[in-house]
Amino acid sequence: MTNILEVKSLTTKVSGYTILNNLDFSIQENELRVVLGPNGAGKTTLIDMITGRYKPKSGKIIFNGEDITGMAPDKIFVRGVSRKFQVPNLYETLSVYDNIMVSLKGRRKVMKSLLGKVTKQDNNRIWEILDFIMLAEKAEDSVDTLGHGQRQWLELGMLVASEPKLLLLDEPTTGMTKDGKEKTAELIEKIALDHTVMLVEHDMDVVRQIAKNVTVLAQGQTLAEGPLSEVVENQEVKAVYLGKGVLDGT
Amino acid sequence: MESIITQFLNGFSVVAILMIAAVGLAVIFGVAGVINMAHGEFIMVGAYTAAVVGQLGGNTFIAIPVAFLVVALLGLVVERSIIQWIYDRPLETLLATWGVGIILQVVMKLIFGPELYYVGAPKILDGGFRTIGLLPFPWYRLFLIVIAIIIMIITYFVLFRSDLGLKVRAVRRNRTMAGCLGIDTAKVDMIIFAFGSGLAGVAGAVLAPIKSVSTTMGFPYAVDSFMVLVLGGVGSLWGVVAGSGLIGEAETILSFIYNSVIGKLLVFIFIVLAIRVFPKGLFGYHERT
Amino acid sequence: MNRRKFLKNSAVAAGTAAAATITDFPYFFVKRYAHAAEGDTIKVGILHSLSGTIAIIERSLHNAELLAIDEINAAGGVMGKMIEPVIEDPQSLVQVFAEKAKKLILEDKVVAVLGCYTSASRQSVLPVFEQHNNVLLYPTLYEAQECSKNCFYTGCVPNQQLDDFVPWLIENVGPKFYMIGSNYIYPKETNREVKALLKAHGGEDVGEEYAPLGHTEFSTNINKIASKRPDVVFSDLVGDSVVAFYKQFRQFGITADDIIIGTPITTEQETAAMGPENALGHLTSFNYFQSVDTPENKKFVESYKAKFGKNEVTNAVMEAAYFQTHMLAQALEKAGSTEADALIYEGLPGQEYMAPGGKVKIDEKNHHTWLWPKIGRANETGQFDIVWQRDDWVRPDPWVDLLYPNKDCDFTNPSVLERLKSDSKDRSGTFELS
Amino acid sequence: MVQNRQVYKAPMFPLWAVIAAVGIVLAIATYPFYGAAYVTSLLGKFLCFSIFALSIDLIWGFTGILSLGQGVYFGIGAYFTALSLKINYAAVNPTRYGGTIPDFMEWNGLTELPGFMVPLQNLPFAIIAGLFFATLLAFIFGVITFKRHIYGVYCAVITLAESLILQEAIIEYQAYTGGFNGITDYGTHAQINVLWLILVVTIIFFIIGRILTHSRIGTILKSIRDNDTRAEFMGYNVANYRIFVFCVSSFMAATAGAMYAAWNGIISFLDAGPVFSIEGVIWTAVGGRGTIIGPFIGAFLVKGSEYFLSGKLAWTWQLIMGALFIFVVLVMRDGIVGTIGKWWSARKKRISN
Amino acid sequence: MGLEVQGIDTFYGTSHILHGVTLSVPDGAMISVLGRNGVGKSTLLKSIIGINPPQTGTIHFNDADVTKEKTHEHVRAGISYIPQGREIIPDISVYENLVIAMRGKNNRSNQIPAFIFEYFPALEPIQKRKGGILSGGQQQQLAIARALIQEPNLLLMDEPTEGLQPSVVAEIDTIIKRIHTERNCSILLIEQNLDFIRDVTQQFAIMDSGQIVEEGNIEKLTDEFAGQYLSV
């Protein structure tokens, strides 16, 4: 197995604060990696760096053997990295169907999309995805009629539609009911069957439901990494979540 | 050669005029994120205030505080009635304030009629002093330079050395947190809008004696001020100084060598290219988030 | 600009707008017109901007014409009918001038239009008048070099303002001229004539410069002027620029004792707006000043002030607007018809009137007006003291002899007339869709 | 999986709309035969204004960029055409100086047509050159600003300055542009075939606008307008799309300008200026931005009422205009069409419930 | 008296975060709220202080209904708030950060009250430094000082120990205890650090999925008990 994503000694600062501190991190192909960590540990910032939203102060990001550090977001996307935002980030005035439609893989160039039509295959693919994210009934409705959970699913569906090599999911279950969380976790598990997924998650029920490999970030660095069962027993990790001082060695 | 030197001095007075005109707009844009398209009309109202003060027997020195108050009040009314509802839609503030500008023009014309109004310079500032050039440098232009410096200093003190300024900077940087510290953010917006408007009023009052006063006088000032802001960058007093300095001197020198339209054209091209390099302007500040 | 009106205005500005005060406002209630019985009127278009940048001056022309119409109607009207002014506001925009002219002619079916101030607006409406064969009376001084059978020009043309003025300046002030003007056709053409006159009379042209219209920052230009040390600054600046230029000129310490500003365009209106001290001693050449001492003028100034406010001033263009309205009424009587051709070929040419500035006459040949050139020096009240005047009237010559020897319009030439008449028929036959 | 399911898509050209459109088009096309000449002359103008408003709507309503300088492109189209017409007209109808070149060239001291203007003698070439030049300028402008992520207020102010500078340049270089006087007296082109031409072009642009906004690319444009961050992270080069639409819209504006110049018989710097540009924005806002029919309704309504009211109301009209700006921003944000549309869909929802 | 939160429902955008939360903080109490990330603890504080006001339910403070009041009005009524991540205003100095808090409470003085530097001696020498360049510990001290200078009746604290060194955590611990006893101020505290909670507070409430699921005295909060709701 090769590493599809490698982050090498990444450092970044935002208005004087160090968010990521010399972070090394990698994900293998077809892996489902869960990233845990307390607030402010740098999880979202890591995703921002990988997807080109901000440029790191130093360090390198290598995706699929290519250095993508500092590339524009759309260029990074075309190479196969899709991200989901913490707060669902949708096209508010479009219908559910159209949200998926504009996310379908390919045809990102102006002239191509000018001539492009929605083919039968496209249509079938969109319905497939709508079924998958359980929104087929809502296909014609505009996005602002969706409930919060459905919005999260729709964004997942949009990512799937773009057929990326790597999905970065930033807390896809926030603001959901228990039932919703379970369903979302199932979705993610299904997606992970044929995609590489990096999941940032807080909810331990969700994590327990789907996680195999876990990385714990704290203060911009990797605190622990490994299979869930091992990491859960790690004293430092417990400390982060259960209150034993992080560095006091107890 | 002597002409060039005089011209350079002239340039300073043009810079001063730009600075006086632009600073009010800069304060409002920098803090509240609103481009006030009625800025020129605010200047116009200031100029008419000076005309009224003049007719009542006052001079420019009296007109300055009166114009400040009158236009600040006007700004307050505009902010409360219109702007406060659309802070989150900056593009639409452009349209709304443009409408305010039109209305102000009509209303002023209804009150004062369409003719040009006369505003004289204070007697004490008549004449000028000899420089190395051929012409005496008018005292009034020197006064403008002084006023520009004073306005910049006052604005600096208001924004950086006063309680209000402290609140303003806190609000600009972190609106939510400022509220959590007990600052009435809506009131700060209101006051700063009134203050910026008041500065426009002062601009009108001091510019009236060298220009003609009419209901349509404002727009060119507004445009010049936009240019200063775009070049200098938003939310920084240094931006206003740098923007006015570059544009003012460049325009005067270029119009001496060529003519004023070519001067303007070159300056505009220069601004567009500068924007390409510094999208936030020379002293750009991150806009309100 | 008198103090009482100002106080009153300020009071309103301060918010004490009592209805009684407002009704006095000259502008608030522009008195429209006294209606005669409908259908029993002769409609005359009035096409002056009431809004926009040139409304400042055009409003006074509009008023002068309304005053004249009131006088005509009070005296019994024309051909037994009242004159009904149809007012349009072209908003100082040249396209709107053309648009409104079209409306006046096609929709309101006016017999003639009194209107326009700038050359730009006149040029924009002329094709409309020619195409629809209607009559325009144009009161402004202008650069001339134009003949249109549909247009009657009652303002000065360069030979009436410059032919005496420039030599007088050379002789009495000095030979070195620096020309500064707004950048459009009128100053350019005028300065061409001035340069020709300088050459002919031993003057010297030391500089020529044009500022964009509406320009108000003249420090650079004044600096340039000072470096050339002329005797006369010949200014054809217009509008806001005039005021800003005079003010800044004096602020740079230059008075009429050092350099005289000579101009064919600065009127009483501008001297009032800039403050008399800034105009003091500078010269203007016109056929009329408010200070002209004739009974006609006394009556004109008085009735104008009575109607539109005591603080109003009159000027040459207003005088023309006033007398051209009276001449139109006389022409309608003379022609005995409201047909355009009757006015053009019989009514207006050769028409005479005792105007406030002296007796005037529309030239049969070129449709311009015989006028009385004068030179005025601005005094400390903003009025002009007449320092020189010609003792006879001067024939208008739209094609000044210095530049265009032997050229003139001739609407008395039978062959020209023949062509024009058939031409206008052709045009009205093909143009438009209904 | 069920195959070949469809979503209901509003038809690109619904039957009722087509019928209504045909009716309106026929009414306008035949109007000169039964209507007043003055109104006819307004009709042609308003159609050009409508296209201009549509061009603003394309970039503002559909991609969210507010240009306060759209008049630049309208003006370029108008000036190229008017110059060409004037040069040709002057060649056969001696000017007041008796020469065969436009009078404004003569009083600026030119004695013959400047070399670079010789090609403009060919009218089709002049029109095409104008359209091309306008589009090219839009492209350059787009590359400078959009590629640097300059949007919003900054962009609006820069476009405003752009039109102001063009306006000043036109006045300054009067030997080639007619300056302050504009270009006038170049023959009459307010003929029925020109009206029909304007009508045909209007229909074509209407259809192009409809296709651009209701096909796949239209959906993409809307998605960029709604959420450019999401679109960017979905692999769309947002700047390129915006440049593309900006070019299309400039082309439309220039075409409108060209036809306006021919129809109106007089143009001036004001047609390229900031006030005209902002007026166009307000037409769009009143009609309803983000709709194709909105700009047409807005232009006809605002401009129409201006022509019929301003004579009688003079200064009041300006007051109304000012209040309209504020009203549209504060109260009627979706414009006439948008408000009706919202009301309609709310009603539908009520009924279906 | 004190704070009474009655059945509030709060939304963040379209997500329903708080579901009928009821909580009371009597005068002089010190209560900690626990729960995993994302259960709505911070939103609870934001609802109380008025940043994200509840859509239904009421909030009373000292018997006055403050549900619809603006943030700054809460502050004037006597509630101060220390947000997560400190939110020090970076481009003004420590002194100015403090002064601005005084102004928020209508205190026109330019003199920082002496008790502030008694509590936070570390701040005294660095008053001229810009807020943005302070260390995490200094920032937390400043954040608390900024709230304290307003002499509140109720202090809301959102994770005051997050991301701090153990030594600093210990300092903060003492300071909070001192504030509670010496400044006559009730405290509502969000924390994940169990030891810290057990050391400083007397009462606790546990939140899960936008609701308060457990309340009680601090003795009840054993590792096992907490683990039910907080376990990794």
Side-chain angles (χ1 to χ4, degrees), chain B residues 8-232:
Chain B
F8 191 67
L9 267 177
N10 267 343
F12 277 116
S13 66
V14 175
V15 170
I17 292 169
L18 278 176
M19 226 145 73
I20 295 168
V23 66
L25 188 73
V27 166
I28 291 174
F29 190 18
V31 179
V34 173
I35 274 277
N36 179 15
M37 297 287 276
H39 183 69
E41 278 66 35
F42 282 18
I43 293 178
M44 178 266 287
V45 174
Y48 271 91
T49 310
V52 173
V53 169
Q55 286 292 314
L56 294 173
N59 62 14
T60 306
F61 304 118
I62 297 167
I64 289 173
V66 176
F68 180 87
L69 288 179
V70 168
V71 184
L73 198 69
L74 175 68
L76 201 68
V77 171
V78 171
E79 203 271 349
R80 282 293 92 185
S81 57
I82 297 165
I83 309 295
Q84 68 156 322
W85 312 110
I86 48 175
Y87 273 118
D88 53 337
R89 293 183 268 147
L91 280 184
E92 291 173 40
T93 57
L94 288 178
L95 295 182
T97 47
W98 177 264
V100 170
I102 294 178
I103 290 177
L104 279 178
Q105 281 194 21
V106 180
V107 168
M108 291 305 275
K109 200 192 279 181
L110 287 182
I111 298 174
F112 292 98
E115 63 263 44
L116 295 171
Y117 266 64
Y118 163 64
V119 178
K123 285 273 168 296
I124 191 172
L125 295 175
D126 265 358
F129 60 92
R130 284 271 156 202
T131 58
I132 25 182
L134 293 161
L135 277 181
F137 192 72
W139 287 115
Y140 197 80
R141 285 192 178 248
L142 188 70
F143 170 70
L144 283 180
I145 295 173
V146 172
I147 282 284
I149 293 169
I150 291 175
I151 286 180
M152 293 309 283
I153 290 173
I154 289 178
T155 310
Y156 175 80
F157 266 85
V158 168
L159 288 185
F160 294 96
R161 288 282 178 273
S162 74
D163 281 359
L164 174 66
L166 202 55
K167 290 177 184 174
V168 166
R169 280 176 296 148
V171 169
R172 180 174 72 182
R173 195 65 208 233
N174 192 336
R175 180 161 286 267
T176 315
M177 193 56 222
C180 293
L181 289 174
I183 295 168
D184 187 344
T185 52
K187 195 166 144 197
V188 169
D189 284 336
M190 202 166 90
I191 293 174
I192 209 69
F193 203 92
F195 176 69
S197 310
L199 290 180
V202 173
V206 299
L207 295 180
I210 56 166
K211 305 291 172 82
S212 58
V213 178
S214 70
T215 52
T216 51
M217 68 181 278
F219 191 57
Y221 291 114
V223 173
D224 286 346
S225 309
F226 295 153
M227 293 288 100
V228 167
L229 246 63
V230 168
L231 179 62

Side-chain angles (χ1 to χ4, degrees), chain C residues 284-338:
Chain C
T284 297
S285 160
F286 258 133
N287 60 308
Y288 169 88
F289 294 102
Q290 188 180 326
S291 53
V292 167
D293 189 20
T294 64
E296 290 81 10
N297 187 40
K298 209 166 265 172
K299 181 179 153 252
F300 171 57
V301 173
E302 267 167 22
S303 43
Y304 190 87
K305 286 189 171 186
K307 192 170 160 77
F308 298 105
K310 288 199 305 189
N311 325 307
E312 299 291 326
V313 289
T314 60
N315 63 45
V317 191
M318 287 163 68
E319 187 232 17
Y322 173 77
F323 75 66
Q324 72 176 10
T325 314
H326 278 288
M327 285 172 116
L328 174 66
Q330 290 178 4
L332 283 164
E333 286 285 3
K334 183 181 169 202
S337 156
T338 56

Side-chain angles (χ1 to χ4, degrees), chain A residues 1-239:
Chain A
M1 286 274 228
T2 53
N3 285 340
I4 191 162
L5 177 76
E6 277 183 62
V7 172
K8 289 181 180 164
S9 53
L10 200 64
T11 300
T12 170
K13 287 187 172 178
V14 176
S15 55
Y17 302 103
T18 303
I19 306 287
L20 295 179
N21 187 4
N22 217 5
L23 177 75
D24 287 309
F25 178 79
S26 62
I27 298 179
Q28 289 185 333
E29 213 160 319
N30 282 330
E31 195 185 341
L32 168 58
R33 171 74 59 86
V34 176
V35 177
L36 292 172
N39 289 330
K43 298 171 308 240
T44 303
T45 311
L46 176 60
I47 291 182
D48 282 345
M49 294 294 147
I50 297 171
T51 53
R53 183 173 217 174
Y54 304 118
K55 283 184 186 151
K57 196 165 175 350
S58 64
K60 259 188 185 168
I61 301 163
I62 291 162
F63 177 73
N64 229 353
E66 189 183 357
D67 186 351
I68 57 166
T69 324
M71 268 189 194
D74 58 296
K75 300 252 161 47
I76 293 176
F77 173 91
V78 171
R79 283 162 176 74
V81 184
S82 290
R83 82 178 280 188
K84 197 200 146 316
F85 291 84
Q86 199 164 353
V87 178
N89 215 335
L90 309 169
Y91 308 125
E92 296 295 332
T93 64
L94 300 190
S95 70
V96 171
Y97 181 93
D98 283 343
N99 263 277
I100 301 287
M101 195 265 282
V102 297
S103 306
L104 284 179
K105 187 186 162 111
R107 287 184 300 198
R108 291 301 195 259
K109 291 241 161 41
V110 178
M111 286 305 149
K112 279 195 178 152
S113 56
L114 184 62
L115 303 170
K117 286 183 72 173
V118 182
T119 63
K120 221 172 211 169
Q121 280 149 320
D122 292 339
N123 185 43
N124 289 341
R125 174 84 183 126
I126 293 168
W127 283 107
E128 228 174 82
I129 292 165
L130 288 174
D131 284 332
F132 177 66
I133 57 173
M134 298 165 282
L135 287 176
E137 310 229 309
K138 291 265 190 181
E140 288 174 15
D141 296 355
S142 113
V143 164
D144 51 23
T145 65
L146 295 185
H148 179 71
Q150 291 171 318
R151 293 168 68 88
Q152 298 276 27
W153 294 344
L154 177 56
E155 200 177 11
L156 281 176
M158 288 159 68
L159 295 197
V160 173
S162 68
E163 298 177 28
K165 298 197 183 84
L166 170 66
L167 284 89
L168 309 172
L169 308 179
D170 197 353
E171 304 197 21
T173 67
T174 32
M176 284 189 180
T177 58
K178 220 167 178 81
D179 186 44
K181 286 184 179 177
E182 268 168 33
K183 277 193 181 160
T184 311
E186 278 169 31
L187 274 183
I188 295 170
E189 276 190 294
K190 279 191 208 156
I191 292 170
L193 289 179
D194 39 17
H195 296 88
T196 315
V197 175
M198 174 181 142
L199 169 69
V200 169
E201 186 51 71
H202 272 133
D203 192 295
M204 287 315 293
D205 293 332
V206 175
V207 173
R208 249 182 250 107
Q209 191 179 343
I210 57 176
K212 297 184 186 73
N213 290 321
V214 174
T215 300
V216 181
L217 292 187
Q219 295 181 24
Q221 286 176 315
T222 313
L223 187 66
E225 200 164 60
L228 178 66
S229 49
E230 281 174 29
V231 169
V232 168
E233 292 309 312
N234 184 314
Q235 285 304 313
E236 287 179 49
V237 174
K238 274 193 166 175

Side-chain angles (χ1 to χ4, degrees), chain B residues 163 170 174 181-182 184 285, chain E residues 72 75-76 87 91 100 103 150:
Chain B
D163 281 359
N174 192 336
L181 289 174
D184 187 344
Y285 196 90
Chain E
H72 66 98
V75 175
R76 304 221 164 133
E87 308 266 350
D91 48 2
I100 202 169
R103 299 293 181 265
Q150 297 180 323

